Amino acid sequence: MKTIFEKSQNCPLTRHRLPDSALIEISLDQIIPKQYIEPDHGDASDQQLILPELSEVELVRHYVKLSTQNFGVDTDFYPLGSCTMKYNPKINEYTSSLPGFLTHPYQSSAQNQGSLELMYKLEQKLCNITGMDAFSLQPSAGAHGEFTGITIMKKYFHDKGEQRNFIVIPDSAHGTNPATAAMCQFGVITITSNAQGEVSFEELEAAMKQGDVAGIMLTNPNTLGLFDRNILKITEIVHKYGGLAYYDGANMNAMMGKCKPGDMGFDIIHLNLHKTFSTPHGGGGPGAGPVGVKSFLIEFLPNPRIVQEENEYRLVDSATNSIGKIKTFFGNFSILVRAYTYVLLMGEDGLTRASENAVLNANYLRVKLQNDFTLPYNRICQHEFVLNDETLVNGCTTLDLAKRLLDYGFHAPTIYFPLIVAGAIMIEPTETETKTTLDRFVGTLIKIKTESKESPDLLKKAPVNTPVYRLDEVYAARNPKLKYEK
Amino acid sequence: MNFPENLMYTESHEWIKKLDEKTALIGITDYAQHELGDIVFIEFEPMGKKNKKDIFCNLESVKAVASAYLPVSGTIVEANAKLAKDEEFELVNNSPYDKGWLIKISLSKPSELSQLMNSKAYKKFVEEAK
Amino acid sequence: MDFSPLSEQDIQEMLKAIGVSSMDALFQDIPKSIRNPSLNIGKGLSELETRFCMETLAGKNMIYSSYFRGAGSYNHYIPPVVNQITARNEFYTAYTPYQPEVSQGYLQAIFEYQTAICNLTGMFATNASVYDGANALCEAAIMAKNITRKNQFLIVGELHPEYFQIFKTYGFACDFHIQTANLNNFTEKLKQEEFAAVVIQNPTFFGDLHNLKELAKKIKEISDEVLVIEVIIESSSLGLLKKPADLGIDIVCGEGQPLGIPMGFGGPTLGYLATLKTHYRKLPGRIVGETKELNGERKGYLLTLQAREQHIRREKALSNICSNQALCGLAIIVYLSAMGYNGLRKVAELSAKNAYYLKQRLHEIKEISVCNISRPTYNEFLIAVPKGFYEKFEELCLAEKILPPYQLLSESLEYLAQVSTYKFENNKDYLIACATEMNSAESTVTFLTLAQKALRELGGRRR
C-alpha cells in the first residue's frame, strides 16, 4: 500500500484546525532571530514534503485500511509464548481515559490525590500478589524493569564495598537478561539447563563459589514453561554466597495465587503489566515493568515514593540510597490505571482462576499435540510449552509451519526461542481462550503436519492468504531503507 | 564444503594465507559463512596492533552476529575495501577464500602460524563438530 | 468479573484429557510450603462496581481548564481523529510485529512515523521509539560511548532536572561520567577532558533558544571527535526551528509528547532518537525497514537490522531495549498527518507568539521580572517573583481552574546554578511560565488579573 506521504496532496482548508491569530499581532522574526527559523516549506512553490498533506477523510481511510492489515488479540488466537497475549478488557480503556487521569504530572499533590492513591494502592496489591515488600512503578517496560533491578543490585554491592562483577544467567533466558547485565557492566556466566530443562545445580554452585557473582537472573516457570522444582535450593545457594536473586516476571501469568516469587526466595523482581495484568501490547508498547524488592532493598528504589499520612498521599524522597530516577514523572501512568482496574475486577479469586486456567489451557494443548509433534520436555507444564519441527517432513521447518498458520487465520506462536531447543515453537494460549478455539488450533497444527507430508509446498510457499507474502529480510538488511524518500 | 589446501585454519573457523614473509590475508571459512547465513553487515575493529585471538570484526546476518578472531598477532594494515564500504557482503558468502577476504595483517610473530591446523586437520575438526 | 471463558464442564473435560483428577495436580511441581498462598487483595468486583471505584478516584483529581505550566509536559491541541485511530482494536491489541506478513498495518505506520521524524530533524535515520525523552538521552549517550569509545559527557546549559537525574542513574549503571557547564565556561571544560559528547537541551528548561549552529561549531573547533547531542523536549518547536542536522548536531533525541500525546499524568509518552548516516547502525531498539517480497513484486515492511538487538546479541547488545512505545508512535504520525506541515508550523507560531505576549505582560508588572526578557525564547520563560506570591497566586488560580506556572524546586536550584548563567536570589521564587496555542485571550486576561491580585494581597499582608 502507498505510504501516506505518497498520498499527499495539498488542501489546506480541510485541515483548518487552529485559529489564525495569536494573543498578539507580531511577526515571528521580531521575537525569534531569523537565522533560527527554518524557511516555510508550506509554500506551494517549495517542493520539500516534510509531513503528509491530506484531507481527514483520506487520512482516516489510510489508517483504517492499515489496521485491517494488522493482527491483534481482538482478531484471533495469538499464542505467542512468553508474551501472554490475553484479552484486553475494554473497561480498562474506559477507566484510563477518564479526564481525571489525564492531568498534568506537575499538578500539586493536593490536586492529584486520586492518582497518588491509585499508585499507592496498586503498589500494595502488587506486593501482596508477589510476596515482595515495596514496588517502584516507574519502569516503562520489562527490560526497563530489569535495568532498574540490576542497577539496584549494583548499588547494593557498591555501597557494601563488595566487588562483584558477574551475574549468572541460564542458557534458556530471554535475550534482555544478559543484555541488561552487560549494559550495567556485569560479565555474564551462562549456566546450562539440564535434561529436565531445569537449572544445573552443580554449575550454579561452582559459579557462586568463585565469590565474584552478584546474583542470578531467573524466570520461573522458565522459558520452557516448566516450574523449576529446585527453586528454593537455587535461591538458597545464591544467598549462601552473598548474592541476590532477581526474578524476571515475564511468566507470572502461571503463578498468581499459586506461588509468590517472594516466597521462592527472590530479592528483586519485575512484572510485565502488559503481559500478566491485561494491559494492551499496543503493537510493541507502551507497557510497564514495575520493580518489587524485599525490605532490605527499599532504600535503593527510585524516588519519589508515595507515602500515606492521615488519609493524604504525598510524594517523598524516602529511599535514602536511591539509585535515582529512571523515568520522567511517575511511569506509564495510564498503563498503571489499566492494571489497577484489572486487579479490582479480578480480585484474588479471579487472578487465581486466571493462572489456573492459563495452565489448564496450556496442558490441554500439550496433550492434544503430543502424538503429532515432538515435545522435548513432555511433562506437566505451566502456562506455556515448547515443541519442535522434528515431525515435519520434506524439509519443512518451524518457520514454514509458522507461516502456514498465518494462512489459517492464526497468529504464529513464538519461534526459534528459547535457543536451547532447535526449531523451537513456544505456545502460550493464556486463560482467555475457549476450548473450541484450542481445539481448532490443534486441528490446524495437525493438518499442517499432514500437509508437510502430502503437499509440502503449501508450507514452503506460505503465507499466501495474507496482505503480503514472505518478505526478503536479507535484501532489507543489505539495502537499508528506513524512511520514505521520493 | 571447501577446504583449500594452501591455507591454515583456526578452531574458530578463520583461515590465513601467507602473502610473503611478513604479510598475510585473513578471512572466514566456507563452513563459517554457511553457518552464519547471508551476511548483511560487517563491522571492522579499528586497525593497528593486535594480539592473537583478539576480535578483528563482527559479522552480522539477519538472525545472528558472530565475531571473528585473529589467528596470529600483528598489525592490521588493511580491511577489504569492498566490505568496509558497506557493499558487496555477499562476497564473503560466495567467495570466502578469495574475493571475500576480510583483512590484511603484518605478522609480528610468524612462528604462531605453526600452531594452526592445516586443511586436512581442519576438515576433520569440522566433521567431528557436526 | 472474569475473562476466562471456560465453563465447569470444559474444565472437567480438559482435566480428563490431560489425565489428572484436579487443577491442583497441575501445580505439583511447586514446593508444598509455598504453594497456594493467600493474596489478601479482596474478592473481584463487578464491572459496574469497578467503574464506580475508578470514577471516584479520578474524581479526586483536579481537572484544570487552562494551563500556564509546561516544564516537560505540554497542553497542545490533539485532533480527535488521533484517538479514533489509536483505538482501532487491530492496532492496540497487537504485539510486536514478529510476523510481518500479518503486521503490515503497524509496520507501515511506524515506517511513516520514522519518515516524519527524519524529515523534521533532517536526520538520516531514527528508530521505532524508546520510552521517553530522558530514556532517549540515555540511549544517545550509550551510542556516543560506543561510537567514540569514551565515557565522559558534558551537559551545557539548562537540561531539565529530571533528565539530569535519570542521566545520572544511567551513568552509575552504564559507567558514564557526567560533568556540567554553562554557556560561559563550557569551552574551558571541553579543553580539559576527552568527552564522548556534549549534551544541549534546546529550547532549554527555561525556554531559551540557543544559537545551536554557533555552539556546535565552537565545540567541533575544540574537538572534532566530540559528538553533539541535542535534547528537544518541546518538540512542537520542530515545526518552526532549523533542522538539527543542518546545525551540526550528531544525534538528536527528544520527547514526543507535544506531538499528539496527551499529558496523561506523565505517561506513557515516547522518546525519539535520530542520527546521521555515519552513526545509524548504532541506533538501539527496533527499526522498521522497507523491502520486497521474496517471490513477488509487492513492497512490504519489516523489523530490520535486528542483529543490533538484544534477542540476537544478548550480552553483546549495545542496549537491553526490547519493546518500544509503538502505540504512541502511531498517535504521533496520525497527529502530524492530521496537522500537516502548515498545521505544525502554526502550533509553533501560536505557541511562541502567545508566550511572547505573556512574557511582555508579566514583565510589565512591577514586582515580577522575566529573567530571559531580552533573550529569544520559544514558548516558556523564567520569572522571578517575591517570596509568598506563588502560594497566594496558586490558590486564586485554583478557583478559576487555571494551572499556574511551574515553581522551581529548591532541590533543583543547586544543579541549575551549575548549568545556568542566570543568578538565583534567596529572597525570590522562580517560576517557569508556558503558553501554547491552547491559551485563550480570556483565560490569559484572568491569569494576569489574578497575578496582580495576588501581589496586592501579598503587599497588603506585608504592611
Side-chain angles (χ1 to χ4, degrees), chain C residues 214-227:
Chain C
E214 276 304 307
L215 270 182
K217 190 158 158 249
K218 251 191 217 169
I219 292 166
K220 300 279 184 178
E221 273 167 10
I222 295 173
S223 165
D224 59 4
E225 279 180 26
V226 169
L227 298 175

Side-chain angles (χ1 to χ4, degrees), chain A residues 74 94 103 106 282 328 353, chain C residues 2 4 55 69 89 106 132 265:
Chain A
D74 285 359
Y94 171 76
T103 57
Y106 282 157
T328 50
R353 205 163 36 241
Chain C
D2 201 304
S4 182
E55 283 170 349
R69 179 173 304 187
N89 307 55
Y106 237 124
D132 65 10
F265 198 56

Side-chain angles (χ1 to χ4, degrees), chain A residues 56-366:
Chain A
E56 192 168 295
V57 59
E58 290 295 303
L59 166 67
V60 169
R61 285 185 181 160
H62 179 82
Y63 286 105
V64 167
K65 276 208 188 79
L66 282 184
S67 79
T68 64
Q69 291 178 13
N70 215 63
F71 193 103
V73 172
D74 285 359
T75 311
D76 210 315
F77 188 44
Y78 210 138
L80 267 186
S82 229
C83 300
T84 313
M85 302 302 293
K86 68 168 79 181
Y87 176 71
N88 312 123
K90 302 321 174 198
I91 177 82
N92 291 353
E93 300 311 306
Y94 171 76
T95 57
S96 57
S97 47
L98 287 170
F101 289 137
L102 301 177
T103 57
H104 193 292
Y106 282 157
Q107 284 179 206
S108 67
S109 291
Q111 308 310 324
N112 261 335
Q113 283 294 294
S115 301
L116 296 181
E117 183 178 338
L118 187 150
M119 292 195 294
Y120 182 84
K121 289 190 166 156
L122 177 62
E123 213 196 291
Q124 286 192 322
K125 301 256 187 205
L126 295 180
C127 284
N128 288 7
I129 293 167
T130 59
M132 306 306 284
D133 299 319
F135 264 87
S136 168
L137 303 175
Q138 277 186 31
S140 311
H144 206 203
E146 286 179 39
F147 171 77
T148 307
I150 297 305
T151 305
I152 288 174
M153 206 185 262
K154 185 171 177 166
K155 188 152 210 292
Y156 171 77
F157 288 111
H158 175 267
D159 286 6
K160 261 179 152 219
E162 281 181 40
Q163 177 88 311
R164 288 179 185 247
N165 298 313
F166 291 91
I167 289 185
V168 167
I169 299 177
D171 53 4
S172 55
H174 191 272
T176 49
N177 291 174
T180 302
M183 195 176 163
C184 296
Q185 314 298 300
F186 285 101
V188 172
I189 299 176
T190 308
I191 49 178
T192 48
S193 306
N194 60 25
Q196 286 76 48
E198 292 166 325
V199 162
S200 159
F201 208 59
E202 298 69 37
E203 278 186 46
L204 172 62
E205 180 134 41
M208 291 307 302
K209 267 202 176 122
Q210 289 170 43
D212 198 11
V213 179
I216 191 170
M217 288 176 89
L218 210 55
T219 184
N220 194 31
N222 60 25
T223 56
L224 298 166
L226 303 171
F227 189 94
D228 196 318
R229 294 166 288 199
N230 296 319
I231 189 64
L232 290 173
K233 274 170 87 182
I234 290 170
T235 50
E236 199 188 306
I237 282 253
V238 171
H239 292 142
K240 179 173 162 196
Y241 291 95
L244 295 178
Y246 179 90
Y247 181 76
D248 177 334
N251 292 328
M252 191 65 200
N253 203 44
M255 297 284 101
M256 295 188 288
K258 308 312 292 180
C259 188
K260 299 185 184 185
D263 295 341
M264 291 183 209
F266 288 98
D267 305 294
I268 314 173
I269 78 169
H270 86 263
L271 293 172
N272 298 65
L273 297 188
H274 45 289
K275 295 186 182 185
T276 319
F277 292 87
S278 86
T279 77
H281 285 85
V291 165
V293 295
K294 288 281 169 73
S295 53
F296 72 99
L297 294 171
I298 293 179
E299 61 185 275
F300 300 103
L301 284 174
N303 273 324
R305 313 263 322 124
I306 301 176
V307 301
Q308 186 191 26
E309 282 166 13
E310 293 165 19
N311 274 332
E312 199 198 314
Y313 296 91
R314 296 191 315 121
L315 292 163
V316 179
D317 283 355
S318 60
T320 48
N321 256 332
S322 172
I323 56 170
K325 252 176 162 277
I326 52 120
K327 168 87 175 73
T328 50
F329 311 121
F330 307 103
N332 280 350
F333 184 69
S334 76
I335 305 296
L336 304 177
V337 175
R338 290 176 175 90
Y340 187 66
T341 307
Y342 181 70
V343 172
L344 285 181
L345 267 175
M346 299 285 274
E348 175 158 0
D349 45 317
L351 292 180
T352 308
R353 205 163 36 241
S355 286
E356 288 177 350
N357 287 358
V359 170
L360 178 70
N361 279 356
N363 279 287
Y364 179 71
L365 283 180
R366 177 180 63 81

Side-chain angles (χ1 to χ4, degrees), chain C residues 11 81 113 117 148 153 187 297 308 387 401 457:
Chain C
I11 293 175
V81 67
Y113 154 85
I117 297 290
T148 62
F153 293 87
T187 45
E297 294 305 313
R308 296 161 302 117
K387 282 242 189 274
K401 297 197 183 176
E457 288 185 14

Side-chain angles (χ1 to χ4, degrees), chain C residues 13 102 123-124 200 426 438:
Chain C
E13 279 175 30
V102 292
M123 291 292 180
F124 175 77
I200 306 175
N426 283 331
M438 295 287 276

